[in-house]
Amino acid sequence: MSEDDLWPVEASDAVQDALEDPALSAELFSAVVALTVAIAEDPWLENSTARDSAGDWRRLPIPGGRGLVEYVIDEKNHAVRLTRIIPL
């Protein structure tokens, strides 16, 4: 995979705040970072589901039943924006 194939991933303010929270466990932080890398490689991951009819808004389970990550795919600009982390 070349760098041109990767999708730049930007975190929303809410995601940045969640990742900077000292109460966030190291395991959850690591899982979200790993998902961010996977999303950059393929935003339409097999385990992700569409949140809207267009399929631009996606929801992906965090491994280990730790929660969900939500993101939107901007095909026009070839980018992804993480919008929310929902810890369980």
Side-chain angles (χ1 to χ4, degrees):
M1 175 174 285
S2 74
E3 282 190 36
D4 292 337
D5 294 332
L6 295 176
W7 289 74
V9 179
E10 178 184 347
S12 69
D13 290 343
V15 169
Q16 288 178 15
D17 290 345
L19 293 174
E20 292 172 0
D21 185 347
L24 184 70
S25 72
E27 293 82 14
L28 183 53
F29 179 88
S30 296
V32 171
V33 170
L35 282 180
T36 302
V37 172
I39 290 167
E41 293 174 348
D42 178 10
W44 293 275
L45 290 165
E46 184 178 323
N47 291 337
S48 71
T49 56
R51 279 194 51 218
D52 65 5
S53 61
D56 296 344
W57 286 86
R58 309 291 296 176
R59 180 175 284 157
L60 183 65
I62 299 170
R66 294 184 179 105
L68 298 169
V69 171
E70 293 183 339
Y71 58 96
V72 63
I73 302 167
D74 180 354
E75 288 189 72
K76 179 180 176 185
N77 295 306
H78 191 80
V80 176
R81 181 163 176 86
L82 293 181
T83 57
R84 192 163 62 148
I85 298 170
I86 306 165
L88 298 178

